[in-house]
Amino acid sequence: MNAIISALELVNELAGSRPPVLLDIRWQLSMPGAAPFDGRVAYVAGHLPGAVFVDLDRELASASGAAGRHPLPDPEVFGAAMRRAGVSSGVPVVVYDGGQGWAAARAWWLLRWTGHPDVRVLDGGLPSWEGALDTDVPAPAEGDFTPVPGAVELLDADGAAALARSGLLLDARAGERYRGEVEPIDRVGGHIPGAVSAPTNENVGPDGSFLPADELTARFKALGTTDTTAVGVYCGSGVSGAHEVLALAVAGIPAALYVGSWSEWSSDPLRPVAVGPDPQ
């Protein structure tokens, strides 16, 4: 099963006998001191017909704290949100966001991690959709999805540190944050020792759609993947890192996500920090 779906493919599936449930996950990273982005306002102004809004900060994550800015959500909260949106185990799901792809990838990863067998991301997000948008807020029938965490691999801080030594740990943040030249959000800049810089924005083209699978495969091979390499990803708080895991999936490379990411790692002054372009 493909991890992504094009807008044209989605049009055809929506008109078919087994249309997917649509989830709108519009979200943007809010910088300190700035007014928070309200994805629900954007959703109400226009969304894919039949799509249900899901709040990343409240339903795809638990409260910020020692475990990072976007820790894993409580399974009961996540499950209730998915059932409210009409998600059932036997029905395909397509998730999308405003085009960046990070938030949609977070929902994709969570649904996969909790056992949903058929979930894809709309490649290019809302901007790729050429059809009419809707302003009606649907009330779908309650779904039956019950999350069972653990279907795909998850890393904690110790696991990420070990993987940086034994396999390949990719840092999905911008290169200047990896190198420690700037750090606009977290306590300190830099990266997990041994991690390799792999900015998420290099996985997509100018329109926000993923590069072709063969180009992604070549990119990740150049970064150190092999047929036997264990691969993990982290970012700032487990959102853009999910997008990199998605890009790896498009390339046919399984990867684990360190959800706590740099926001968790850097909050502990006892954990080592590397700076500069060298992984070590």
Side-chain angles (χ1 to χ4, degrees), residues 37-102:
F37 173 80
D38 191 339
R40 190 177 297 276
V41 171
Y43 166 81
V44 170
H47 50 266
L48 267 60
V52 176
F53 178 74
V54 176
D55 191 309
L56 185 149
D57 287 319
R58 294 176 176 84
E59 296 172 317
L60 304 185
S62 54
S64 175
R69 284 192 307 280
H70 291 104
L72 290 171
D74 181 287
E76 291 300 320
V77 172
F78 176 65
M82 294 298 99
R83 290 189 293 273
R84 170 189 62 81
V87 174
S88 292
S89 295
V91 179
V93 177
V94 171
V95 295
Y96 72 91
D97 57 24
Q100 188 178 42
W102 294 4

Side-chain angles (χ1 to χ4, degrees), residues 3-272:
I4 57 176
I5 182 172
S6 70
L8 180 59
E9 290 170 330
L10 179 57
V11 168
N12 292 333
E13 290 198 13
L14 289 172
S17 60
R18 192 168 174 256
V21 171
L22 296 179
L23 304 182
D24 185 308
I25 324 286
R26 269 178 276 184
W27 170 89
Q28 291 179 16
L29 178 64
S30 297
M31 302 302 289
F37 173 80
D38 191 339
R40 190 177 297 276
V41 171
Y43 166 81
V44 170
H47 50 266
L48 267 60
V52 176
F53 178 74
V54 176
D55 191 309
L56 185 149
D57 287 319
R58 294 176 176 84
E59 296 172 317
L60 304 185
S62 54
S64 175
R69 284 192 307 280
H70 291 104
L72 290 171
D74 181 287
E76 291 300 320
V77 172
F78 176 65
M82 294 298 99
R83 290 189 293 273
R84 170 189 62 81
V87 174
S88 292
S89 295
V91 179
V93 177
V94 171
V95 295
Y96 72 91
D97 57 24
Q100 188 178 42
W102 294 4
R106 170 76 175 213
W108 167 85
W109 184 86
L110 277 169
L111 280 164
R112 291 178 66 246
W113 180 65
T114 54
H116 198 286
D118 190 350
V119 54
R120 290 162 291 169
V121 170
L122 176 60
D123 193 18
L126 187 64
S128 72
W129 181 258
E130 297 182 356
L133 298 180
D134 201 347
T135 56
D136 292 335
V137 177
E142 182 90 355
D144 66 12
F145 180 65
T146 299
V148 181
V152 296
E153 190 175 0
L154 171 69
L155 294 173
D156 59 13
D158 290 339
L163 187 60
R165 297 188 298 269
S166 65
L168 179 65
L169 181 65
L170 299 176
D171 185 317
R173 299 172 300 157
E176 58 268 25
R177 291 185 68 191
Y178 170 88
R179 295 187 296 271
E181 297 166 358
V182 298
E183 183 43 64
I185 306 173
D186 294 313
R187 184 184 67 84
V188 63
H191 58 269
I192 297 173
V196 173
S197 181
T200 296
N201 62 3
E202 295 180 16
N203 296 323
V204 299
D207 64 351
S209 298
F210 281 104
L211 299 175
D214 58 346
E215 292 184 26
L216 288 171
T217 300
R219 181 188 185 221
F220 291 122
K221 182 177 181 180
L223 290 169
T225 62
T226 70
D227 291 341
T228 59
T229 305
V231 181
V233 179
Y234 76 97
C235 57
S237 64
V239 180
S240 67
H243 189 270
E244 186 119 298
V245 172
L246 175 57
L248 284 153
V250 172
I253 303 168
L257 179 64
Y258 172 25
V259 171
S261 286
W262 189 248
S263 58
E264 179 187 39
W265 183 279
S266 64
S267 69
D268 183 349
L270 297 179
R271 292 202 176 274

